[in-house]
């Protein structure tokens, strides 16, 4: 099993050499769930994600949630649940260089030298609250299909005194550095996420193949976000499961970047 996981990670990592336009990272998480009453489950999770071609931390996340079964057909093939959750994130924003396209000098050889801003990296915290409904359909012992609709509210915390240097031209057309600290004010975002999923239980093996597609639409801001995921669940035993997945994300939200993610998750049922 370890050899297979290592091989999968190596294949996907090598494939990134031809995908320089997108970011690449790893996602590691530990989760658990337990039944606290009939039809009511409590879940929790902690995770860590990398960015910048897996060289830097992207975020740490801790979260918890509840799911309640609203309806289940007599043959148990159709189940409807209500979900609610809360996550707290510590996110790391990379250093940025902003070129000032309207401020430049032309060198003797015809090339242009631009003024620019350099902003230091910084941590920014935020929390997310979500509510939703999920519908699952299990036509037989092998196949399972799901639809989940989630409304998610995110609050980005304020950040003061972010280091920034403005590089400008002096009277001799030479660049000089001018310290100019900046800040990020708090903001709120609400998004509607729709997810379709499917899984197949391979007969004779403790493995389920899983796949999903998700679309996120901003409700109070402009955002269109797609997530495509594929992987498999390895059932260690009745109460323990290991998930390996690959996910590609594309969006037009300035707070996130397009990219490829390889994930490994361990989940236990108490």
């Amino acid at each position: 099993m370890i050899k297979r996981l290592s091989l999968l990670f190596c294949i996907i990592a090598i494939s990134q050499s031809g995908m320089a336009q997108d970011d690449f990272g790893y996602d590691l998480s530990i989760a658990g769930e337990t039944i606290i009453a009939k039809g009511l489950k409590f879940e929790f999770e902690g995770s860590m994600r990398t960015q910048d071609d897996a060289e830097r931390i992207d975020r740490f996340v801790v979260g918890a949630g509840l799911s309640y079964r609203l309806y289940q057909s007599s043959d148990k093939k159709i189940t409807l649940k209500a979900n609610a959750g809360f996550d707290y994130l510590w996110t790391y924003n990379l250093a940025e260089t902003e070129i000032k396209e309207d401020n430049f000098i032309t060198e003797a050889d015809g090339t242009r030298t631009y003024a620019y801003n350099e902003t230091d990296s910084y941590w920014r915290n935020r929390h997310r609250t979500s509510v939703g409904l999920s519908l699952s359909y299990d036509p037989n012992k092998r196949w399972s299909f799901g639809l989940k609709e989630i409304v998610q509210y995110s609050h980005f915390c304020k950040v003061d005194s972010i280091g920034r240097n403005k590089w400008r031209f002096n009277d001799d057309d030479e660049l000089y550095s001018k310290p100019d600290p900046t800040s990020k004010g708090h903001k709120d975002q609400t998004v509607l996420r729709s997810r379709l999923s499917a899984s197949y239980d391979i007969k004779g093996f403790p493995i389920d193949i899983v796949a999903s597609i998700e679309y996120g639409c901003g409700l109070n801001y402009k955002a269109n976000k797609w997530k495509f995921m594929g992987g498999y669940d390895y059932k260690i035993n009745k109460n323990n499961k290991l998930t390996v997945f690959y996910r590609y994300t594309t969006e037009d939200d300035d707070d996130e970047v397009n990219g490829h993610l390889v994930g490994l998750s361990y989940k236990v049922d108490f």
Side-chain angles (χ1 to χ4, degrees), residues 52-69:
D52 196 21
D53 292 331
E55 294 185 357
R56 299 177 184 272
I57 293 294
D58 175 60
R59 65 187 61 178
F60 295 102
V61 185
V62 293
L66 292 171
S67 65
Y68 181 69
R69 187 174 66 239

Side-chain angles (χ1 to χ4, degrees), residues 27-208:
D27 186 287
L28 304 175
S29 65
I30 298 177
E33 69 175 23
T34 185
I35 298 174
I36 56 179
K38 185 178 180 180
L40 181 63
K41 281 187 177 181
F42 171 75
E43 304 173 345
F44 63 90
E45 182 178 15
S47 66
M48 181 273 289
R49 186 186 300 180
T50 63
Q51 62 178 327
D52 196 21
D53 292 331
E55 294 185 357
R56 299 177 184 272
I57 293 294
D58 175 60
R59 65 187 61 178
F60 295 102
V61 185
V62 293
L66 292 171
S67 65
Y68 181 69
R69 187 174 66 239
L70 300 174
Y71 168 79
Q72 188 173 61
S73 61
S74 58
D75 57 7
K76 297 185 178 180
K77 290 185 177 182
I78 299 176
T79 303
L80 177 66
K81 292 182 179 181
N83 308 275
F86 178 84
D87 300 297
Y88 198 89
L89 300 83
W90 296 262
T91 59
Y92 185 69
N93 296 265
L94 299 175
E96 291 183 325
T97 299
E98 177 191 4
I99 303 299
K100 309 300 290 184
E101 298 286 351
D102 58 348
N103 190 348
F104 62 89
I105 62 170
T106 303
E107 306 289 352
D109 60 0
T111 61
R112 289 180 175 181
T113 299
Y114 292 89
Y116 59 96
N117 295 340
E118 283 184 329
T119 303
D120 295 342
S121 57
Y122 62 94
W123 288 91
R124 188 179 193 182
N125 301 342
R126 72 177 189 255
H127 56 78
R128 301 185 303 205
T129 304
S130 60
V131 293
L133 293 172
S134 60
L135 179 68
S136 63
Y137 173 57
D138 304 328
N140 51 52
K141 293 181 179 180
R142 300 293 170 214
W143 285 99
S144 180
F145 301 93
L147 172 63
K148 194 170 187 177
E149 296 290 332
I150 306 167
V151 176
Q152 186 178 79
Y153 161 77
S154 297
H155 176 78
F156 292 72
C157 301
K158 182 180 179 180
V159 182
D160 295 318
S161 301
I162 302 171
R164 182 175 67 176
N165 284 320
K166 289 185 175 181
W167 290 85
R168 298 294 185 265
F169 296 103
N170 59 21
D171 294 338
D172 296 322
D173 288 339
E174 297 173 334
L175 283 171
Y176 72 97
S177 175
K178 177 183 177 182
D180 183 37
T182 185
S183 62
K184 294 284 186 179
H186 66 81
K187 66 177 180 178
D188 302 303
Q189 293 181 345
T190 305
V191 62
L192 173 65
R193 297 166 54 188
S194 303
R195 182 188 305 156
L196 281 171
S197 61
S199 66
Y200 178 73
D201 185 353
I202 302 176
K203 186 177 181 180
F205 292 91
I207 290 176
D208 291 350

